[in-house]
């Protein structure tokens, strides 16, 4: 497995695994939920960063 690219960015403070995978309750059809902690939100707050909730 390759290292996480976020680890080389100075503005990334942490990366959290949340949801069913973090609880050990994932199923074969589960997605992976993560929270990216940054020193400042500006570069990450764009329309492209918004999840597609039309499922």
């Amino acid at each position: 497995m390759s290292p996480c690219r976020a680890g080389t960015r100075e503005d990334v403070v942490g990366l959290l695994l949340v949801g069913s995978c973090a609880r050990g309750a994932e199923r074969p059809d589960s997605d992976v939920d993560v929270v990216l902690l940054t020193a400042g939100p500006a570069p990450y707050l764009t329309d492209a960063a918004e999840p597609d909730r039309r499922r």
Side-chain angles (χ1 to χ4, degrees), residues 3-50:
C4 177
R5 287 181 39 174
T8 62
R9 296 187 54 107
E10 292 182 14
D11 59 337
V12 173
V13 178
L15 186 64
L16 304 174
L17 177 65
V18 297
S20 61
C21 289
R23 294 189 306 271
E26 71 276 6
R27 300 182 321 218
D29 63 336
S30 294
D31 61 354
V32 177
D33 301 305
V34 295
V35 176
L36 178 65
L37 301 173
T38 64
Y44 302 98
L45 294 179
T46 65
D47 289 340
E50 288 296 315

